């Protein structure tokens, strides 16, 4: 946070945009094998040849003057007369300076992000993170909650990857938690409601994007929490709907299976999105919440 505020004071790019970019890049690097893991405080990755300049014969160049001569991206952010990819201040200042060239207001920052990433979904995810950081005024937003009240009656096992046949052969991309009809369903993380509506497979469903590029998917709901809206900010434990048996048909279809919550998690890596097994996370969040209540 100190670093974000420092760069904000120099460039007038609000700290929460910088935090959103940094967190997005850190998550992408953790999810992909073709990118080096972050070694410093920041997670932003800029390819050495882009930093030093495409035509620069020395891709390890740290001289700001020669980098500028070869139209490189890198800048000296801390005044040590070096533009180093190993320096967190230089990296964050360089990216902020790039955005500053477009403007420091919301719309121009979005334009700058699109020109850099060339992907609408990436821009949307970063802006969502920025909204979360601005709303809560802090960057430690990693707490989680179990999707159902832990003192209620429910049961679940690891069903991720199991075969499903309705609507064609497919793989089950989540964990089914069986519980009483109407039991409260809660947000599992700090995030933004990215999707709300009907799907012929999942029935009434909700999708929430968290700060770690994870998309939390809640399906077969009996309905939604009052006043829950697309784009709304949620936090762990917040009521979002109820357990139901909706789906497997046109809007309104219900009762084709016992009431349960289908809960899935999907990861975005900057190119695509895929599901991963939520069962270990559910067990961890359940255990953590039970321990808090002791």
């Amino acid at each position: 946070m100190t670093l974000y505020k420092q760069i904000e004071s120099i460039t007038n790019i609000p700290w929460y945009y910088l935090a959103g970019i940094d967190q997005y890049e850190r998550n992408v690097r953790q999810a992909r094998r073709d990118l080096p893991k972050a070694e410093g405080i920041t997670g932003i990755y800029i390819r050495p040849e882009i930093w030093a300049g495409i035509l620069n014969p020395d891709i390890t160049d740290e001289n700001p003057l020669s980098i500028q001569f070869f139209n490189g991206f890198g800048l000296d952010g801390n005044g040590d007369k070096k533009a180093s990819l190993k320096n967190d201040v230089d990296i964050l200042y360089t990216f902020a300076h790039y955005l500053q060239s477009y403007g420091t207001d919301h719309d121009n920052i979005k334009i700058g992000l699109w020109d850099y990433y060339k992907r609408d979904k990436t821009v949307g995810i970063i802006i969502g993170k920025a909204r979360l950081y601005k709303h809560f005024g802090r960057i430690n937003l990693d707490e989680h909650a179990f999707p159902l009240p832990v003192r209620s009656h429910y049961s679940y096992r690891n069903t991720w990857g199991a075969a499903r046949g309705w609507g064609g052969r497919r793989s089950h991309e989540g964990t089914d938690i069986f519980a009483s009809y109407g039991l409260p369903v809660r947000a599992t993380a700090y995030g933004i409601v990215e999707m709300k509506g009907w799907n012929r497979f999942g029935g009434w469903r909700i999708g929430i994007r968290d700060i770690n590029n994870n998309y939390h998917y809640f399906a077969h709901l009996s309905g939604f929490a009052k006043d829950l809206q697309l784009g709304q900010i949620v936090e762990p434990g917040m009521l979002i709907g109820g357990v139901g048996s909706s789906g497997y048909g046109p809007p309104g279809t219900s009762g084709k299976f016992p009431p349960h919550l289908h809960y899935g998690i999907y990861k975005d890596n900057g190119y695509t999105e895929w599901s991963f097994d939520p069962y270990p996370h559910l067990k961890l969040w359940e255990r953590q919440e039970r321990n808090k209540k002791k």
Side-chain angles (χ1 to χ4, degrees):
M1 177 67 86
T2 300
L3 181 56
Y4 299 148
K5 291 291 187 72
Q6 176 186 348
I7 301 302
E8 177 187 51
S9 67
I10 299 171
T11 64
N12 291 319
I13 301 295
W15 70 268
Y16 40 87
Y17 289 107
L18 301 175
I21 296 162
D22 194 25
Q23 179 70 353
Y24 173 80
E25 293 250 358
R26 181 179 295 106
N27 295 149
V28 165
R29 293 174 75 170
Q30 290 171 347
R32 282 169 46 185
R33 296 180 180 178
D34 61 326
L35 297 175
K37 303 306 178 186
E39 296 181 356
I41 298 174
T42 62
I44 295 174
Y45 176 69
I46 301 170
R47 299 201 312 272
E49 63 271 21
I50 299 299
W51 182 270
I54 295 293
L55 299 179
N56 195 330
D58 180 11
I59 63 170
T60 65
D61 192 1
E62 295 185 345
N63 186 325
L65 294 178
S66 55
I67 289 175
Q68 184 179 20
F69 177 81
F70 288 106
N71 294 316
F73 201 62
L75 296 171
D76 173 16
N78 62 356
D80 66 353
K81 298 183 180 180
K82 290 183 180 181
S84 175
L85 273 172
K86 298 178 180 179
N87 186 285
D88 293 307
V89 178
D90 288 355
I91 293 172
L92 200 60
Y93 171 76
T94 295
F95 205 107
H97 184 270
Y98 161 80
L99 291 178
Q100 188 185 41
S101 68
Y102 288 82
T104 59
D105 61 289
H106 177 78
D107 289 339
N108 281 310
I109 288 175
K110 284 184 66 176
I111 293 171
L113 289 172
W114 194 93
D115 280 349
Y116 186 84
Y117 291 103
K118 300 292 193 296
R119 184 175 182 246
D120 288 337
K121 190 168 188 176
T122 292
V123 176
I125 291 174
I126 291 174
I127 294 300
K129 292 178 189 291
R131 282 188 60 208
L132 286 168
Y133 289 133
K134 180 182 180 182
H135 178 83
F136 291 103
R138 56 191 174 93
I139 56 176
N140 55 326
L141 300 175
D142 289 311
E143 299 96 328
H144 290 89
F146 192 73
L148 302 181
V150 294
R151 290 183 176 175
S152 61
H153 295 288
Y154 58 84
S155 64
Y156 68 105
R157 59 187 178 86
N158 193 348
T159 56
W160 188 80
R164 289 293 186 269
W166 194 88
R169 292 185 62 83
R170 55 197 173 88
S171 176
H172 191 233
E173 296 183 343
T175 292
D176 290 334
I177 308 175
F178 292 87
S180 299
Y181 191 91
L183 189 71
V185 173
R186 312 180 304 165
T188 51
Y190 291 97
I192 292 177
V193 178
E194 197 172 281
M195 183 273 297
K196 173 191 171 189
W198 179 270
N199 173 275
R200 67 191 185 99
F201 293 103
W204 300 117
R205 65 210 176 109
I206 293 171
I208 296 172
R209 181 81 57 182
D210 72 12
I211 62 164
N212 293 313
N213 294 10
N214 294 323
Y215 179 77
H216 302 249
Y217 179 70
F218 308 78
H220 305 314
L221 302 175
S222 59
F224 307 117
K226 185 180 179 180
D227 299 327
L228 187 74
Q229 302 293 329
L230 284 173
Q232 182 174 335
I233 290 175
V234 299
E235 53 188 281
M238 179 177 169
L239 177 67
I240 59 173
V243 171
S245 58
S246 61
Y248 284 18
T253 304
S254 185
K256 290 193 172 185
F257 43 77
H260 67 277
L261 170 69
H262 168 96
Y263 175 74
I265 311 181
Y266 297 77
K267 169 71 74 174
D268 185 273
N269 68 356
Y271 287 130
T272 186
E273 193 166 71
W274 75 95
S275 72
F276 62 93
D277 187 1
Y279 183 79
H281 301 275
L282 289 170
K283 296 298 288 185
L284 173 63
W285 302 337
E286 180 185 38
R287 184 170 63 251
Q288 289 175 337
E289 196 163 345
R290 288 188 185 277
N291 289 338
K292 287 181 183 179
K293 294 182 181 296
K294 287 182 179 180

